[in-house]
Every structure is written in structure tokens, then in C-alpha cells.
Amino acid sequence: MSVLIFIDHADGHVKKASLEALTYGADLAKQLGVAAEGLLLGTVTEDLAALGKYGISKVNQVSNEALNNLDAQVYAKAIAEAATATGATVIVFSHNQTGKAVAARVSARLKAGLVAGAISLPDTSNGFVVKKTVFSGKAFANVNITSPIKIISLNPNSYKITAGEGAATVNQLSITPDAAKVKVTAVNKVSGEVPLTEAEIVVSGGRGLKGPENWGILEDLGHALHAAMACSRPVADAHWRPHHEHVGQTGVQVAPNLYIAVGISGAIQHLAGVNRSKVIVVINKDPEAPFFKAADYGIVGDAFEILPKLTEEIKKIKG
Amino acid sequence: MKILVCVSKTPDTTSKIAFKDGNAKFDDAGVQWIINPYDEWYALVRAIELKEKNASITLHMVTVGGADAEPIIRKALALGGDEAIRINADSNDSFYIASQIAAVAKDGGYDLVFTGKETIDYNGSSIGGMVAELLDAPYVSLATKFELNGTTATVTREIEGGEEVNEVALPAVVSCQKGVAEQRIPNMRGIMAARTKPLKVVEPVAVDALTSVVSFELPPAKAGVKLVPADNVAELVRLLHEEAKVI
């Protein structure tokens, strides 16, 4: 009996979303009175034993460099074998890009019920009931997993990472992965920017900024906050900003601690991409903008005057 | 070459979300139903584009739902494609739904199965991966570009902070999102043609669900926006720092 937490990594490092999953899995193991173990496929440069500080006692590794590229089919088989080898009764993923590719496959393979997009620990007082977001963040569902093995994939940025003391033992699993049917031929990463889906603070601009030449003042605010940059759909469609910055129903869905929307009216399709943000700040010159109804804080006024002042004030407290 | 596109019926994006029967069920009173946008705008339209380039491609679509799903699937047929299959079952368990689709996919011998990246109601992003596992086929998720080249496909997929280009052997399952294609509006010829396209109804295979929804809940109402005067930006920063504690 154990909780097995899948540890996702890129460029030799464990992803932040997986540190959330590790903390979550360790807390869940405590709740169930079982051990918490991690599982890493492939190789990383950092010290795996140090992951013990997130509350796990053991890190299982399939140390094979072929696994540094994702093939969901190969991953699912290896994870299922590892789950059987370690006697896992609960498997935890992050509901990030990798989790979305792999967790469902493992679920079908092991006939283990999956709750995808969980936001809190399960209620185990009567069954195994996990709360997840539904209707694009407009509601929650409490879902009971009825199979013997249970799989949870945790929404990024919904569980706080806690690091304490302790080291994990590292255990090499002798699992031979299948040959990949998916070949990675190119990787294009935007360097030097905070990835939108991992960002704790997101600064987003809309048509109210009037043109791409005006993005400098928004970027200044973004830099001061170490935030990721985003935009509304009309801005991406007009090619003022790249498409990967478009947040909304059909773009990227984000759930940062702080979302600052400047010059965005707040159409329902935009809100569907941002309404899981913990705190929303809206700056808009139109007091009737629907976004104010979804906001926690707001300023009615001219973004071109407000943004430079805001950046300056933030620099003061950030020292 | 045979392509199967999975389509799902979902409430329109602008629907008011409410629940009934002691929060056990979605309240569909007055709700406008649409094809899940990711299934329609991206998966289906891309499949139609592939067929337009290569007329020998057979394009089928499949949905799991009751008779009330038929207007949605007729609308999908109006965009294009040869035939639709409705699996006569209603469920919100991903494994149950995926098992039904996989049974149809296995029977039909499809080279390619497309899904949307998620449905806008249950947001599980699970059907594609489960169908792929049940078919023992490779799976590329969150595709932003898709090209066929004979027995393989070149798929660009989203990763954190960028994109990755994958070469995948067929048969394969691919989940689609923005970038793969552009939304289309069905024209009158398509709507007329859809009326006579075959819509087969098949009964579900016996599968046990692995999950069940106990209840739904709405998020607590927002306390209301706290407005700060435009000439006192420092106050906003103070609130974010001291009250909300987010900076």
C-alpha cells in the first residue's frame, strides 16, 4: 500500500507542478496512513534524494535516457509496471501537459478510476471523493472513485508546496521501456520568459492598449512582478502578440495567484480561461466592463497613466 | 485511410451553470447545446481539411449519447464527413465513454482518431488517452498543428513554455486544440447534404464505470470588486501586498 507520485521533469529539472504533486501525495499518504513514494522516468541533473523534503520516503527511478522524451504509450506501460512493483493503491499526477497525456492511459491500462483536474485532498470518510473543477472553472464536481486503484491528477497551482527536512532513498527499478513510436524531431521553447501555465503572476493586455507598440509599459509591469505575459483573443488574432499568450476558453487556461487584466473587457470566453485565478485585478477605463464583476480589485482609469505608476510602486515594495 | 473524430455535446459557453436534484445533476433547463468547441473547431475541421486534400479518405464521427445528441451530430455532418455513429448510452465516466469509442474504433479499423483536447463541461482531457490505451496505439495530446505524410504524421504539441514537434507512426490518436484548424460555419449545401448522410445507432458494450459524480457545487460568490481610485495606485499595491498577500 502506497501513494505513488509521478515526477515530471524537463531540461534536467523537476517541474514545479510536480513539487505540488509531491506535497499533495505526501499529505494524502499521511491521511491514508501509508507510505508516499515518487516515480521518475528518465534522468535529471538534480539530487533525487533531496525530494524527500516534500514528504516522500522513496524515489523510484527508471534511469533510462530514452525516457527523457515523452511517448505517452511507453510512459503509461512503465508507470503501470512501477505501480504494480511498488504496490501503489493511489497514483498522483500533475494535470499539466505530461499528466494530460499519460494519466488517462494509465487509468485505462490499470482499470483505475481517474479524477482529472483535482483541486484538493480526497474526502475518504465515505468512499474516495475528489473535488475537481468542471464547466471551465465555473463549478466543481465531487467525484467518487470506485475502483481498487485510484488515480488523481492535480490542477497546477492549486496545492501549496511545503518543503521540510528529510531525504528520500533512491531505488532503481529494473523496467525496460518499449521502443518509442513517437519521435521528437524539434523543440521550440521561448527562452527567458516565465511559462504561462506555471506562472504565479500573470499580466495580461487587451484591445484597450490600442496597439502592439504600446506593450512596453505592460512588459515593464510584468518584469517588476516576475510575471508571465498574456493577452486576450482579439489581441492574438490581430497578431499584436503571439498566439501562445492568448488566454481564454480556446487559448491557454491559467490559474495563477494573481491575474492582472489591463484593457480587457472580460467576455465570458476570456473569463473561462482565467476564473481559477486566486486574485484578479482589472484595470479598464470603462466602469461598465463586465470583467469588474469577476474581479477582486479594480481601477477605473486610463491604463497609459496607471501602468507606469503601478510598476513604480511595485518596484518600491520589491526593493 | 480512415479517420474517426470523437464529438461530444456540451452546454454553450455562455450557459448559466446551475444544478438540480440536490446538486446531483446539471440543470439543463434553457441550456443551448453545442458541439464541444475543441471537437468541432479543431479536430473535426482538420479532419475535413485532410479529406478535402485527399478524397480517398473516409471520415466518420462518433458520439456517446442519447437521441437528444442527434441534432448536434447532424450539425457536425453539415460541416463535412461521410457518416456518424451514435453510441446509445449516457455517462459521465471517462473510462466508460472511452471504452465505447474504442469498441467502435476497433471495429472500424481507423488509421487516425481525433478528439478535442478536452470537453468544456467535464474538462477531463481523458478520452483521447484512454482510447489510445485501449487501442494500444500511440497518443499525441494538445496538438497545435497536424500534417499527414503517408504512414506517419507530423504533430506539433504544446509543452510548458513552447512547442515540440513529434513524428508519430499510424494508427494513432491525437487530441486537438487551437492552431490545428480554424472554425468553420456550415453552409446551406452542407446542411442539406447532412440530412441524408448515414447516422448509425449502436448499442453500448458492457463496461463498468470507474467513477461516479456524487455532487456538484458552485464556487462561493465573489465578495465584489474593491475599487481603488485611479490617482491612488499605491493603495492597490498595498492591498495586494498586505491584504491579498499575492505580491
Side-chain angles (χ1 to χ4, degrees):
Chain A
M1 298 264 283
S2 69
V3 173
L4 186 67
I5 303 122
F6 175 75
I7 304 168
D8 190 18
H9 59 96
D11 310 321
H13 296 285
V14 173
K15 292 180 188 171
K16 181 185 150 231
S18 286
L19 302 184
E20 295 165 2
L22 283 171
T23 308
Y24 177 93
D27 288 348
L28 173 58
K30 241 180 262 163
Q31 182 181 327
L32 299 173
V34 300
E37 301 184 11
L39 170 64
L40 187 132
L41 303 183
T43 55
V44 291
T45 50
E46 61 192 89
D47 177 22
L48 289 180
L51 294 174
K53 68 180 178 212
Y54 302 103
I56 56 170
S57 56
K58 193 197 269 184
V59 178
N60 300 285
Q61 183 180 20
V62 182
S63 183
N64 183 323
E65 283 186 4
L67 291 169
N68 289 345
N69 284 329
L70 172 69
D71 177 324
Q73 192 175 16
V74 175
Y75 262 49
K77 185 159 173 256
I79 293 166
E81 282 177 31
T84 309
T86 58
T89 46
V90 183
I91 310 171
V92 177
F93 291 87
S94 168
H95 197 49
N96 66 352
Q97 286 85 344
T98 308
K100 284 175 185 175
V102 177
R105 288 198 77 122
V106 178
S107 165
R109 190 172 187 92
L110 295 174
K111 307 266 178 292
L114 163 68
V115 173
I119 55 159
S120 55
L121 287 169
D123 178 351
T124 49
S125 62
N126 183 15
F128 194 96
V129 180
V130 191
K131 186 189 279 200
K132 72 169 297 251
T133 52
V134 287
F135 296 103
S136 306
K138 284 183 272 189
F140 304 104
N142 296 300
V143 182
N144 189 22
I145 306 180
T146 48
S147 53
I149 300 176
K150 294 138 179 35
I151 303 181
I152 299 170
S153 73
L154 175 71
N155 261 345
N157 225 349
S158 57
Y159 204 80
K160 198 171 160 32
I161 298 168
T162 49
E165 299 292 318
T169 56
V170 178
N171 175 42
Q172 295 300 328
L173 294 175
S174 55
I175 290 174
T176 311
D178 284 354
K181 288 187 200 160
V182 174
K183 222 169 45 194
V184 179
T185 55
V187 177
N188 310 310
K189 272 200 186 181
V190 191
S191 57
E193 284 182 27
V194 185
L196 197 45
T197 47
E198 288 187 6
E200 290 183 7
I201 301 179
V202 174
V203 169
S204 187
R207 265 182 304 192
L209 284 172
K210 297 197 170 81
E213 67 280 7
N214 296 326
W215 240 258
I217 50 170
L218 195 66
E219 280 171 331
D220 289 345
L221 176 64
H223 288 312
L225 287 166
H226 194 60
M229 301 301 294
C231 69
S232 66
R233 180 173 175 172
V235 165
D237 285 351
H239 303 293
W240 293 2
R241 298 294 293 179
H243 268 289
H244 69 255
E245 287 190 4
H246 160 208
V247 295
Q249 177 87 66
T250 53
V252 182
Q253 280 107 46
V254 295
N257 293 335
L258 174 60
Y259 184 81
I260 303 181
V262 183
I264 302 176
S265 64
I268 197 154
Q269 289 82 355
H270 186 77
L271 296 181
V274 306
N275 57 14
R276 291 194 295 110
S277 308
K278 290 195 183 77
V279 173
I280 294 177
V281 173
V282 170
I283 299 170
N284 203 301
K285 67 176 184 194
D286 175 12
E288 301 298 318
F291 217 151
F292 282 115
K293 290 200 179 74
D296 299 279
Y297 301 99
I299 298 182
V300 178
D302 183 353
F304 296 96
E305 286 172 22
I306 293 165
L307 281 176
K309 285 189 214 156
L310 187 55
T311 304
E312 200 178 304
E313 289 297 331
I314 280 162
K315 279 183 182 157
K316 277 188 204 162
I317 66 153
K318 291 264 174 188
Chain B
M1 162 79 63
K2 285 182 81 178
I3 304 177
L4 181 68
V5 180
C6 308
V7 295
S8 177
K9 182 186 94 166
T10 55
D12 181 68
T13 320
T14 54
S15 301
K16 181 175 158 27
I17 303 303
F19 303 103
K20 61 180 181 185
D21 300 351
N23 284 332
K25 276 192 182 142
F26 175 64
D27 184 356
D28 57 3
V31 165
Q32 172 104 25
W33 296 95
I34 58 168
I35 312 169
N36 178 46
Y38 296 109
D39 302 345
E40 180 189 343
W41 301 356
Y42 310 123
L44 181 56
V45 173
R46 186 64 191 131
I48 291 167
E49 288 172 355
L50 293 170
K51 188 180 162 69
E52 285 167 350
K53 266 197 249 167
N54 177 356
S56 73
I57 289 176
T58 304
L59 169 52
H60 292 173
M61 48 202 94
V62 63
T63 195
V64 179
D68 57 349
E70 293 200 355
I72 295 305
I73 206 148
R74 286 279 174 215
K75 199 189 151 203
L77 283 167
L79 285 164
D82 301 301
E83 163 182 327
I85 302 153
R86 176 171 71 81
I87 303 164
N88 189 30
D90 215 356
S91 172
N92 51 28
D93 178 66
S94 305
F95 181 71
Y96 181 89
I97 295 168
S99 300
Q100 303 307 330
I101 293 170
V104 163
K106 237 178 230 169
D107 270 359
Y110 296 93
D111 305 281
L112 193 58
V113 178
F114 272 163
T115 70
K117 73 158 180 168
E118 64 181 273
T119 57
I120 62 167
D121 49 6
Y122 286 94
N123 306 115
S125 305
S126 303
I127 300 299
M130 288 183 179
V131 169
E133 188 63 30
L134 294 166
L135 296 176
D136 197 23
Y139 176 49
V140 180
S141 56
L142 308 176
T144 55
K145 283 193 195 89
F146 181 93
E147 292 298 339
L148 268 182
N149 12 315
T151 55
T152 64
T154 305
V155 192
T156 304
R157 71 174 187 97
E158 176 198 315
I159 57 173
E160 279 98 343
E163 291 181 333
E164 188 181 89
V165 184
N166 288 172
E167 193 82 26
V168 59
L170 302 182
V173 180
V174 176
S175 85
C176 302
Q177 63 167 329
K178 191 180 169 115
V180 162
E182 293 285 337
Q183 182 183 9
R184 287 189 183 183
I185 310 291
N187 58 29
M188 194 42 81
R189 221 178 95 208
I191 293 166
M192 298 301 285
R195 289 186 185 170
T196 54
K197 285 182 185 174
L199 197 171
K200 278 192 208 156
V201 180
V202 300
E203 290 307 314
V205 293
V207 179
D208 288 329
L210 304 175
T211 63
S212 66
V213 174
V214 178
S215 62
F216 292 98
E217 54 190 87
L218 292 169
K222 283 252 179 194
V225 61
K226 212 176 245 188
L227 286 177
V228 176
D231 58 3
N232 194 0
V233 174
E235 172 63 5
L236 175 66
V237 175
R238 187 195 70 78
L239 287 167
L240 292 176
H241 186 55
E242 291 173 13
E243 187 178 84
K245 296 189 170 63
V246 286
I247 59 172

